[in-house]
Amino acid sequence: MKKKLIRNTVAKFEKEFGAPPENLFLAPGRINIIGEHVDYNNGFVLPAAINKYICFAVSESHSNQCSIIAIDLNEKFTFSLDNPINPATIMWPNYMLGVLAQFIEKQMPVKGFNLAFSSTIPMGAGLSSSAAVECGFGYAMNKMFSLGLTNAEIAVTGQKAEHTFAGVNCGIMDQFASVFGKKNKVIKLDCDTLEHEYHNADFRNYALLLLDSKVKHTHLTSGYNDRRRETERGLSIVKEHCPYVNNFRDCTEVQLLELREKLGEVSFRRCHFVVKEIQRVLDAVDALDNSDFLRLGRLMTETHHGLSKEYEVSCAEIDFLVETALKEKSVLGARMMGGGFGGCAICLVEKDKVDHIIETVSSAYSDNFGIALEPYKIKISKGTSVHKM
Ligand code: GLA
């Protein structure tokens, strides 16, 4: 699939621009084992890059003209570096323009380019295709024009592009995972400091299976930004009463229970989820390191209940997928993954039962919702990179 993606991207580039590309880059999508909606709440997360990619074919244009071809959409976007970079009326160029605008603002030596890109990361499935666009593009510009950025700076630039040009106030998890991914490793990331460590993604007799609900979402309208506002408000109330609490990881369940009335029910539920989820990530890392998959699975399922009932970012389709999967003895844990309101469920399942689970859940899902489930068997892969031609 990766080879085909690269071949196709190169061929389209050549057809459009009349010569083969000088550079090729690959930026992966991501999964997240556990730690949902805690990146922007200064918690820990446990993501990994996967073997689904966006491929960028890029050459210098030797002028101030820039052309971007979205191969999968069959659309072209052109602009000149002589003009200010503003958000476009169509969404897809904004993930790159938002990155470029920051480089230009910092007077970095970017030049005109011709670019074609294509993807095997499904869009709106919660696998962070937008972070892969931002980071792959930032990485490409950094390499081609020697901008001197570190990988962490590339990730942060991608996140800011999402805030400023796409209107989603996301955390840092997706961009960080796309850039920092390593083959067969999950990343324990401290979203407060960006300190991170790699842990072996060795699931022994188990495998991670993604079930795509095919319910598409965009976090511009999904309620994602509201959740962020709600927890920020909640935290400021906690801080007022507990001055030594700096962020959610200093805060205990007992403190929240004491402040329940002051917080109000909704805010209490949101904050309660965050405090419990931060601890669950630490417990999950311990479970993974000790190959305690029963415990890891249980923690993932607890996360789902929190996301569904307390944080309220799941939807009927994902709840159904999780519940149906969990009826199978061979499923140790299941939960919605990513921002929510659609997208994928991630399940920890016995390796040799994967196909059986896909069959069972698919048929129940199609009976109940009339939707054809799309399963993904993923591999944990390396982060954004140059692809040698
Ligand atoms: C989206 C955001 C991330 C993160 C997740 C939820 O993927 O882009 O920053 O908040 O949702 O964990």
Side-chain angles (χ1 to χ4, degrees):
M1 215 151 127
K2 183 163 136 192
K3 278 195 186 135
K4 193 171 155 211
L5 171 73
I6 294 169
R7 249 196 340 264
N8 185 32
T9 311
V10 170
K12 285 280 167 30
F13 182 98
E14 207 168 332
K15 188 162 169 238
E16 185 70 27
F17 298 112
E22 289 155 6
N23 307 280
L24 276 181
F25 302 91
L26 285 168
R30 66 102 190 87
I31 52 165
N32 185 25
I33 313 289
I34 198 160
E36 223 61 271
H37 284 272
V38 288
D39 58 352
Y40 57 85
N41 285 315
N42 300 93
F44 301 95
V45 292
L46 199 61
I50 55 169
N51 59 336
K52 292 191 179 291
Y53 305 92
I54 298 188
C55 179
F56 298 82
V58 206
S59 292
E60 281 193 39
S61 66
H62 303 289
S63 77
N64 277 351
Q65 278 304 116
C66 302
S67 300
I68 308 181
I69 313 275
I71 297 172
D72 308 330
L73 301 172
N74 204 15
E75 285 184 26
K76 182 174 182 173
F77 185 81
T78 55
F79 59 98
S80 165
L81 293 177
D82 295 332
N83 301 322
I85 308 283
N86 292 315
T89 45
I90 46 170
M91 194 45 124
W92 68 262
N94 284 333
Y95 301 109
M96 289 181 249
L97 294 176
V99 169
L100 195 61
Q102 294 175 65
F103 294 158
I104 289 172
E105 196 190 318
K106 293 183 182 137
Q107 300 185 336
M108 291 181 167
V110 280
K111 297 182 194 153
F113 58 84
N114 293 323
L115 185 156
F117 73 103
S118 179
S119 175
T120 54
I121 311 172
M123 275 177 9
L127 300 179
S128 298
S129 55
S130 62
V133 175
E134 292 146 7
C135 295
F137 177 75
Y139 190 95
M141 295 289 111
N142 188 43
K143 278 275 181 291
M144 286 173 61
F145 304 125
S146 307
L147 305 184
L149 294 163
T150 62
N151 280 347
E153 285 166 336
I154 292 172
V156 170
T157 306
Q159 181 196 19
K160 190 167 170 200
E162 190 91 33
H163 294 181
T164 52
F165 274 58
V168 178
N169 292 324
C170 65
I172 189 66
M173 172 171 74
D174 303 350
Q175 290 78 10
F176 201 93
S178 187
V179 178
F180 281 85
K182 266 194 194 175
K183 193 171 174 192
N184 296 331
K185 303 276 179 192
V186 295
I187 312 167
K188 178 189 164 202
L189 171 65
D190 179 335
C191 300
D192 195 24
T193 61
L194 296 193
E195 274 166 27
H196 57 285
E197 49 189 49
Y198 293 94
H199 291 253
N200 287 336
D202 179 1
F203 295 97
R204 306 259 177 101
N205 295 331
Y206 298 94
L208 294 170
L209 170 66
L210 303 185
L211 304 174
D212 187 349
S213 67
K214 296 302 223 175
V215 177
K216 300 277 174 209
H217 60 262
T218 149
H219 290 315
L220 194 53
T221 50
S222 69
Y224 183 94
N225 289 345
D226 297 337
R227 292 299 176 279
R228 186 164 185 162
R229 269 193 299 274
E230 285 163 4
T231 49
E232 275 167 5
R233 201 190 131 260
L235 183 61
S236 69
I237 295 175
V238 174
K239 278 172 147 178
E240 253 172 53
H241 294 85
C242 315
Y244 45 89
V245 169
N246 255 323
N247 63 41
F248 277 112
R249 82 175 65 160
D250 311 323
C251 178
T252 63
E253 195 180 0
V254 174
Q255 282 168 333
L256 286 181
L257 285 164
E258 278 166 8
L259 290 171
R260 190 168 190 155
E261 242 174 69
K262 298 217 162 58
L263 285 163
E265 257 326 284
V266 171
S267 200
F268 169 77
R269 281 206 301 272
R270 306 292 192 248
C271 296
H272 188 256
F273 167 77
V274 171
V275 167
K276 298 290 269 185
E277 181 71 353
I278 291 174
Q279 184 58 44
R280 270 193 292 266
V281 177
L282 302 177
D283 294 346
V285 173
D286 187 60
L288 180 61
D289 286 348
N290 289 298
S291 304
D292 187 348
F293 300 113
L294 278 175
R295 182 168 170 228
L296 179 62
R298 263 200 311 272
L299 289 163
M300 289 168 69
T301 305
E302 270 177 31
T303 290
H304 182 74
H305 292 136
L307 287 166
S308 179
K309 304 278 181 288
E310 293 189 303
Y311 219 70
E312 296 179 282
V313 288
S314 186
C315 60
E317 292 85 348
I318 294 278
D319 284 347
F320 180 87
L321 290 178
V322 167
E323 277 158 30
T324 311
L326 286 172
K327 282 186 192 147
E328 298 294 312
K329 241 182 76 203
S330 50
V331 176
L332 297 193
R335 64 177 199 83
M336 63 144 266
M337 190 183 73
F341 306 98
C344 284
I346 180 169
C347 313
L348 182 62
V349 306
E350 273 175 36
K351 244 183 205 159
D352 52 6
K353 296 284 166 31
V354 166
D355 290 327
H356 165 74
I357 289 155
I358 291 175
E359 241 175 69
T360 317
V361 182
S362 295
S363 97
Y365 192 53
S366 126
D367 288 350
N368 272 270
F369 291 93
I371 304 175
L373 175 81
E374 188 147 355
Y376 308 122
K377 300 174 188 175
I378 41 93
K379 285 195 183 129
I380 295 188
S381 308
K382 72 170 173 181
T384 309
S385 63
V386 176
H387 183 81
K388 301 229 164 49
M389 285 187 285

